[in-house]
Amino acid sequence: MEKLVIQGGQKLQGTLPVSASKNAALPLMAAAILPHGITYLDHIPELRDITTFSHVIRITGASVERKNHRLQIDATRVGFPESPYDLVKKMRASFYMLGALIGRCGQARVSLPGGCAWGPRPVDLHIEGLKALGAEIDLDEGYVVAKVPRGGLPGGNYRFEPSSVGATVNLLLAASLGRGGSRIENAAIEPDIIVFCEMLKTMGAKLDGVGTRTIEVQGVPELHPIKFSNCPDRIELGTFMIASAIAGTPGKPIRLTHARPDHLGEQFLEAFQNTGSGCIIDDDSVIITPPETIKPVSIKTAIYPGFPTDLQAQWTVLLSCAKGVATVTDQVYGDRFNHIPELARMGLDARVSGNQVLVRGGVQLTGTRVMSTDLRASVSLVLAGMIAKGTTHVGRIYHLDRGYERLESKLNRCGIDIRREQYDEFGAPSQG
Ligand code: EPZ
């Protein structure tokens, strides 16, 4: 098992590069099995989720090869339309194979994703949406079994309630290679979806209304393989902006590069500036000037362009540095607070009530042993360790490795004393 050991109190400084997007890369990879031929995807981050999804894709008969940040996916021989439980349970976005295999093969047998660190995270919209487009869907021993009528997916209309990123991806994957036309209403408009739709259109898909809540799809008989580049990770950018504000030297700018700040949405950018942190956008860089004191700013998460739920744990650590009381309300996932008890062990004064946590800031956190419970919880513990007094050991960082590329080497190069170590969860705690 691996952990990160962080000596608190070091100042973050210099230039921090943002990696390519995890949540945009995954739909791009799923789309790469639609055409017969080799698709090249550039700017794909080296993450556990990408490795896991590569294994899922290989099971269908496709080949997936990585050369640095480029993936080469040869879908010529896709023919086994299945995605097994032991892989899908590791990463729920594997469920995108349902739409991709319906599109490519006209049939699919994909495991239901199972549980998540917080939940429930249902897939009813995926299933009802695909049925509305004409797929025949049954549930069999924890698997979704789908097939399309002879001649291909007839198409249809479906309105999401609530809007869903994953379900929008699944319906677009299936409908792009369908026979008929489809209309998707209340579709997700996250930047990940826009980039994904750009790839589909470049492959020959007929989509109208991309970027709006209503997407019209006209199925085509085939799509062609292409070269396509992924976008930067907006959640890593937001994470680094928060890290700069809380661990930087007041008044000393930190530059975040290879970024797309417009992908963060107005609500996050506005909340961030309301903390008193300086934020200047300079082409694909964001220059953060840490403030003398951080103002407490309450936030409520919402679907894009609202405040991203994937940044609420990190925001809670920012609030611990602000003098005063503020709240974090998650309107997307009502119980995504597994990081709170771990942060409380470091001295965070916070109280969870329903889908809201009330944080009383201004308390100096202290380092100790803490444990990751999910990807964004894990990075919030790293942020806390950076500003805590003493040493913090963040365990089970396999969660972190799912979504942050070489985080400790990036932070090391910017002044933070952080190192990766092996440890035995059941052995005596190592000193230091
Ligand atoms: C995507 O998950 C992201 N994952 C999540 O990021 C992110 O938290 C989430 O969108 C919300 O922004 C990827 O892109 C791989 P949803 P997804 O379907 O697609 C409800 C991270 O940390 N819903 O948009 O699963 C659902 O319960 C991960 O990188 C249904 O009710 O999210 C939630 O309340 C964690 N039925 C809301 O919709 C369904 O069938 C939004 O979920 C599907 C979803």
Side-chain angles (χ1 to χ4, degrees), residues 22-23 121-125 164-166 310 332-333 336 376:
K22 165 180 89 79
N23 288 350
R121 293 187 70 186
V123 290
D124 56 314
L125 296 174
S164 158
V165 170
D310 294 348
V332 178
Y333 296 113
R336 191 178 184 173
R376 306 304 172 180

Side-chain angles (χ1 to χ4, degrees), residues 18-22 24 192 230-235 258-260 263:
V18 175
S19 292
S21 169
K22 165 180 89 79
D192 315 331
N230 185 19
C231 65
D233 195 304
R234 63 200 180 99
I235 304 303
H258 304 93
R260 278 291 302 268
H263 282 182

Side-chain angles (χ1 to χ4, degrees), residues 4 401 406-413 418-420:
L4 288 177
D401 293 338
R406 297 193 317 281
L407 182 64
E408 70 270 21
S409 62
K410 288 183 181 179
L411 293 175
N412 259 318
R413 280 199 214 108
I418 179 173
R419 64 181 187 276
R420 183 179 289 250

Side-chain angles (χ1 to χ4, degrees), residues 48-366:
R48 276 167 55 94
D49 274 9
I50 303 297
T51 305
T52 302
F53 201 31
S54 298
H55 291 315
V56 173
I57 289 172
R58 289 188 186 103
I59 286 170
T60 68
S63 72
V64 182
E65 286 169 38
R66 166 188 285 288
K67 293 186 178 68
N68 298 322
H69 286 97
R70 164 174 275 199
L71 280 192
Q72 176 181 311
I73 299 177
D74 184 348
T76 308
R77 276 176 293 282
V78 166
F80 182 61
E82 298 215 3
S83 298
Y85 170 66
D86 58 355
L87 282 175
V88 175
K89 76 168 188 269
K90 283 187 177 172
M91 193 207 48
R92 66 179 287 107
S94 306
F95 203 58
Y96 293 161
M97 294 306 285
L98 182 59
L101 290 168
I102 288 173
R104 172 63 188 264
C105 305
Q107 59 178 315
R109 185 172 182 274
V110 175
S111 170
L112 284 164
C116 181
W118 71 90
R121 293 187 70 186
V123 290
D124 56 314
L125 296 174
H126 298 244
I127 290 170
E128 294 312 309
L130 289 166
K131 280 182 181 170
L133 268 52
E136 294 156 24
I137 301 230
D138 290 307
L139 296 184
D140 173 34
E141 296 178 0
Y143 279 75
V144 177
V145 180
K147 61 178 184 295
V148 304
R150 190 181 303 282
L153 196 72
N157 303 333
Y158 188 71
R159 175 177 180 75
F160 283 122
E161 196 50 61
S163 177
S164 158
V165 170
T168 300
V169 168
N170 253 333
L171 266 63
L172 287 169
L173 286 164
S176 295
L177 272 175
R179 170 165 45 90
S182 298
R183 187 169 67 247
I184 301 169
E185 295 180 357
N186 199 24
I189 57 170
E190 273 70 1
D192 315 331
I193 295 287
I194 310 299
V195 170
F196 169 58
C197 287
E198 280 163 17
M199 176 176 171
L200 287 176
K201 289 177 79 169
T202 311
M203 296 168 78
K206 295 215 176 322
L207 309 180
D208 281 317
V210 172
T212 73
R213 292 280 179 202
T214 300
I215 302 178
E216 306 275 357
V217 187
Q218 179 52 49
V220 293
E222 68 173 341
L223 295 170
H224 48 268
I226 56 168
K227 289 185 175 54
F228 193 78
S229 284
N230 185 19
C231 65
D233 195 304
R234 63 200 180 99
I235 304 303
E236 187 179 41
L237 171 62
T239 304
F240 287 171
M241 289 171 68
I242 291 167
S244 303
I246 64 176
T249 303
K252 197 173 169 196
I254 295 167
R255 179 179 283 264
L256 309 178
T257 56
H258 304 93
R260 278 291 302 268
D262 57 311
H263 282 182
L264 271 171
E266 275 312 308
Q267 284 189 23
F268 175 83
L269 295 171
E270 192 180 317
F272 185 78
Q273 289 176 327
N274 289 344
T275 64
S277 306
C279 176
I280 295 171
I281 294 173
D282 171 20
D283 193 22
D284 73 344
S285 293
V286 179
I287 300 157
I288 304 297
T289 303
E292 285 298 334
T293 55
I294 289 176
K295 299 188 186 89
V297 175
S298 295
I299 61 103
K300 290 185 176 178
T301 72
I303 59 172
Y304 192 84
F307 189 108
T309 172
D310 294 348
L311 284 168
Q312 59 102 328
Q314 301 91 315
W315 193 262
T316 301
V317 179
L318 177 141
L319 292 183
S320 79
C321 305
K323 292 206 175 358
V325 176
T327 56
V328 171
T329 307
D330 200 327
Q331 301 178 119
V332 178
Y333 296 113
D335 62 351
R336 191 178 184 173
F337 298 111
N338 293 334
H339 47 287
I340 296 296
E342 295 299 314
L343 289 168
R345 300 192 61 248
M346 300 177 71
L348 178 76
D349 180 349
R351 195 170 334 105
V352 177
S353 164
N355 69 337
Q356 183 177 85
V357 57
L358 182 140
V359 181
R360 190 177 301 282
V363 174
Q364 168 66 57
L365 300 182
T366 52

